[in-house]
Amino acid sequence: MKENEKILILDFFGQYNQLIARRVRECNVYSEIVPFDTSIEKIKEIAPKGIILTGCPASVYEENAPTISKELLDLGIPMLGICYGMQLISYILGGNVREADKREYCIKKVKIDNTSPLFFGFNNENQCLMTHTDFVDELPSGFRNIASTDDCPNAGMANEEKKIYGIQFHPEVNDTVDGLKIIHNFVYKVCGCTGDWKMSSFVEESVKTLKEKIGGKKALCALSGGVDSSVAAILLNKAIGKNLTCIFVDHGLLRKNEGDEVEKVFREQYDINLIRVNAEDRFLSKLKGITEPEQKRKIIGEEFIRVFEEEAKKIGKVDYLVQGTIYPDVIESGVGKGQTIKSHHNVGGLPDYVDFEEIIEPLRDLFKDEVRKTGLELGIPENLVYRQPFPGPGLAIRVIGDITKEKLDTLRDADYIFREEIAKAGLDKSLNQYFAVLTNLKSVGVMGDDRTYDYTLALRAVETHDFMTASFAKIPYEILEKVSVRIVNEVKNINRIVYDITSKPPATIEWE
């Protein structure tokens, strides 16, 4: 694939790192997150158009605080430090950073100098999200003040000659008004980007690259029927045609009727070699008695690989395994030095030994909404591109605690009712993700004249632009009531319904 102009995001373990990368891409500029201690040689090799330093929970003056070398600041690459990133730039260059007398964890009015390229097109005041304990007390030599609040005199700094900037607030979040415009100004007015990151060119270049890489060899695609694996399958089918075989593993962890629906779509709408493997007993046997979420994911990931290997041997030599891994999967699985939030079955869950020449992940660098755009570019119907996200481990991570077929069937029926009522209410297009979770909590109830002691079911629905952050959906009470009544009356083993009103962060969208 041709080399796109690139903005590097140096990861200091801040909570909004993925969102920063996503915002840069919204400006049609490719971004990539790398560890903060990536070597100078590697950065020179990448040759980014600009670098962004993220936030961090540490203080720059603490012992062993994550840092960069001064040499990086002398490379002549435009740089923007956000929150901790600004403090770090100042600290390294001789400014003073100290703990604030009054911490700011709120939305603030920020006075800005709109003569700075960073704030081109702004008024002289803007609403921004501040989340910091420390602040830059004295600017380093060569820098000028470009922003301030009542409690933070240096909320922004600039060295226009060296094209190094720092801001104490977070432009990547929705709480900062026109925050995307600040990032746009940085990548275009400071870094001089032209904006060559587009989905149409991504599809064209990917197909060309895959044709050249795979040639006449054979590839297997891990098809779950979800958005990511479906887009990966169609992309590979476009590139290598009949040299691709899609293996759909029905592990018994799918939603109600989903296995049959997936098979029907890919057999009837696309001329693709498809093998359906019914492996419910095999997976449930492996998962018997397992309650820890990470262990579930890793077991499922390894079993997926083993099934693929076995099916590959049946059809002859297969050189490549194709997976629908996307960028948030990679980051959340802690690849590199990032913290592991949860292992994804196709990233952190891979076994040490895989019997393929190479694993190909054509969507590895894309966020979810970019995957959907790619699907539309490929001509995939909207109803498939915009179907509800579903995790690779399936209902295994929506059944809390140990997994049994009885629990799975209970959850399938309850989840089906929830999704059916959401669709009837016309909310299925506005809610980005909604599903049911069978908890391992039992409680006392009464049905008729009988005492019950059954499971509590949790309902989860979120609204999100990018799946990096999410707010719980304010579903009308009358709809939740209807769902609750139906589930308790129609589904066995459930006598209590709760609704999850936690956003991301602090929670993740899935429960496990």
Side-chain angles (χ1 to χ4, degrees):
M1 190 183 301
K2 81 173 185 181
E3 194 66 31
N4 294 95
E5 55 190 8
K6 185 179 297 183
I7 299 293
L8 276 191
I9 316 293
L10 292 196
D11 180 5
F12 288 90
F13 316 126
Q15 62 177 320
Y16 299 124
N17 297 352
Q18 294 184 43
L19 198 51
I20 296 171
R22 182 64 199 93
R23 295 295 181 245
V24 172
R25 294 194 190 183
E26 286 182 32
C27 299
N28 292 326
V29 176
Y30 182 72
S31 61
E32 182 178 331
I33 300 174
V34 298
F36 71 88
D37 56 356
T38 299
S39 69
I40 294 292
E41 291 71 24
K42 179 64 176 177
I43 291 174
K44 287 179 179 177
E45 179 185 327
I46 295 171
K49 297 283 285 186
I51 296 174
I52 297 178
L53 309 185
T54 73
C56 177
S59 293
V60 295
Y61 46 77
E62 291 176 346
E63 186 177 358
N64 298 322
T67 189
I68 57 173
S69 69
K70 185 176 181 299
E71 184 182 353
L72 182 63
L73 297 168
D74 294 331
L75 290 180
I77 300 172
M79 187 173 295
L80 172 63
I82 296 176
C83 197
Y84 180 90
M86 171 181 170
Q87 297 166 15
L88 185 60
I89 292 171
S90 180
Y91 187 73
I92 291 172
L93 294 179
N96 186 51
V97 178
R98 69 173 177 86
E99 185 175 354
D101 297 326
K102 186 176 181 181
R103 297 180 295 176
E104 291 182 307
Y105 287 88
C106 56
I107 297 169
K108 298 280 289 189
K109 290 289 185 182
V110 179
K111 296 176 183 177
I112 59 177
D113 180 350
N114 55 17
T115 65
S116 169
L118 205 60
F119 299 130
F120 177 82
F122 281 80
N123 294 321
N124 57 13
E125 191 175 77
N126 198 62
Q127 176 181 295
C128 303
L129 176 67
M130 306 282 280
T131 61
H132 66 103
T133 300
D134 299 329
F135 79 108
V136 177
D137 187 29
E138 295 179 14
L139 297 178
S141 176
F143 283 77
R144 70 183 184 93
N145 179 289
I146 57 171
S148 64
T149 72
D150 293 339
D151 298 305
C152 183
N154 294 311
M157 65 181 191
N159 184 324
E160 269 94 9
E161 182 183 353
K162 292 186 175 182
K163 295 186 176 182
I164 299 178
Y165 295 80
I167 48 178
Q168 188 58 67
F169 54 88
H170 290 273
E172 68 275 18
V173 299
N174 291 329
D175 289 327
T176 294
V177 174
D178 288 331
L180 181 60
K181 187 189 293 185
I182 296 172
I183 293 175
H184 187 280
N185 285 341
F186 175 68
V187 299
Y188 283 96
K189 295 190 175 298
V190 177
C191 301
C193 292
T194 60
D196 63 356
W197 174 247
K198 297 179 177 65
M199 286 300 101
S200 56
S201 58
F202 170 81
V203 170
E204 182 181 340
E205 292 161 15
S206 294
V207 169
K208 180 182 177 183
T209 300
L210 290 167
K211 279 182 179 179
E212 293 173 352
K213 181 180 184 65
I214 300 174
K217 295 182 178 181
K218 292 183 179 181
L220 282 183
C221 181
L223 178 63
S224 70
V227 176
D228 304 334
S229 66
S230 297
V231 172
I234 303 303
L235 185 64
L236 263 292
N237 184 59
K238 188 176 179 69
I240 64 173
K242 290 299 182 180
N243 282 332
L244 171 69
T245 298
C246 291
I247 296 182
F248 169 44
V249 178
D250 186 347
H251 47 23
L253 305 169
L254 298 173
R255 291 170 287 202
K256 190 169 184 175
N257 302 326
E258 193 161 35
D260 294 338
E261 291 170 0
V262 168
E263 184 174 12
K264 182 178 179 180
V265 167
F266 277 84
R267 289 200 190 282
E268 294 183 2
Q269 293 193 30
Y270 301 101
D271 184 23
I272 291 178
N273 295 326
L274 177 66
I275 296 172
R276 178 175 177 174
V277 183
N278 295 307
E280 179 182 50
D281 292 344
R282 176 172 177 169
F283 276 82
L284 293 187
S285 174
K286 290 283 185 179
L287 290 167
K288 186 176 181 180
I290 303 299
T291 61
E292 206 281 317
E294 279 296 287
Q295 195 175 358
K296 288 181 186 178
R297 289 177 177 273
K298 291 182 182 298
I299 288 171
I300 293 168
E302 177 159 356
E303 207 60 23
F304 259 98
I305 296 295
R306 297 301 163 234
V307 172
F308 294 141
E309 288 176 344
E310 291 169 13
E311 293 302 321
K313 289 173 183 175
K314 294 177 185 178
I315 62 176
K317 179 173 172 55
V318 175
D319 304 280
Y320 299 99
L321 171 64
V322 182
Q323 295 190 145
T325 309
I326 66 174
Y327 203 32
D329 297 342
V330 176
I331 298 168
E332 289 188 343
S333 293
V335 174
K337 295 194 176 183
Q339 182 180 4
T340 299
I341 299 170
K342 54 186 178 181
S343 293
H344 290 261
H345 77 285
N346 50 0
V347 186
L350 289 177
D352 294 333
Y353 172 73
V354 182
D355 191 17
F356 294 95
E357 182 177 309
E358 188 176 343
I359 293 177
I360 294 178
E361 298 167 318
L363 309 178
R364 187 181 177 89
D365 295 328
L366 301 188
F367 288 94
K368 176 68 77 174
D369 58 321
E370 293 173 322
V371 173
R372 296 190 194 279
K373 290 176 183 176
T374 299
L376 294 176
E377 288 286 339
L378 289 165
I380 301 175
E382 283 194 15
N383 67 321
L384 186 57
V385 170
Y386 287 103
R387 78 181 297 180
Q388 276 286 295
F390 190 60
L395 298 182
I397 58 169
R398 292 181 182 173
V399 171
I400 309 303
D402 67 311
I403 300 167
T404 65
K405 189 175 188 310
E406 182 182 36
K407 286 183 179 180
L408 291 168
D409 288 340
T410 296
L411 177 57
R412 266 188 275 267
D413 289 340
D415 181 73
Y416 184 84
I417 291 172
F418 183 36
R419 290 187 290 121
E420 185 176 57
E421 290 300 331
I422 289 295
K424 285 181 181 178
L427 297 177
D428 52 320
K429 296 294 191 296
S430 60
L431 300 180
N432 300 101
Q433 191 167 352
Y434 50 96
F435 55 91
V437 176
L438 186 66
T439 75
N440 58 355
L441 173 67
K442 283 190 172 185
S443 63
V444 174
V446 58
M447 302 185 84
D449 295 324
D450 295 328
R451 174 188 184 275
T452 63
Y453 189 65
D454 281 322
Y455 288 105
T456 297
L457 183 87
L459 304 177
R460 176 75 158 146
V462 299
E463 296 171 339
T464 176
H465 295 291
D466 46 34
F467 292 86
M468 300 299 98
T469 61
S471 300
F472 75 88
K474 283 73 173 177
I475 297 176
Y477 287 145
E478 57 268 24
I479 297 173
L480 290 174
E481 182 181 22
K482 189 173 184 180
V483 171
S484 177
V485 169
R486 279 198 62 191
I487 290 175
V488 171
N489 285 341
E490 298 176 30
V491 182
K492 294 180 179 179
N493 306 318
I494 295 173
N495 69 356
R496 192 179 298 271
I497 312 292
V498 297
Y499 185 57
D500 184 346
I501 59 169
T502 320
S503 294
K504 175 187 179 181
T508 54
I509 293 176
E510 296 287 346
W511 274 40
E512 289 193 341

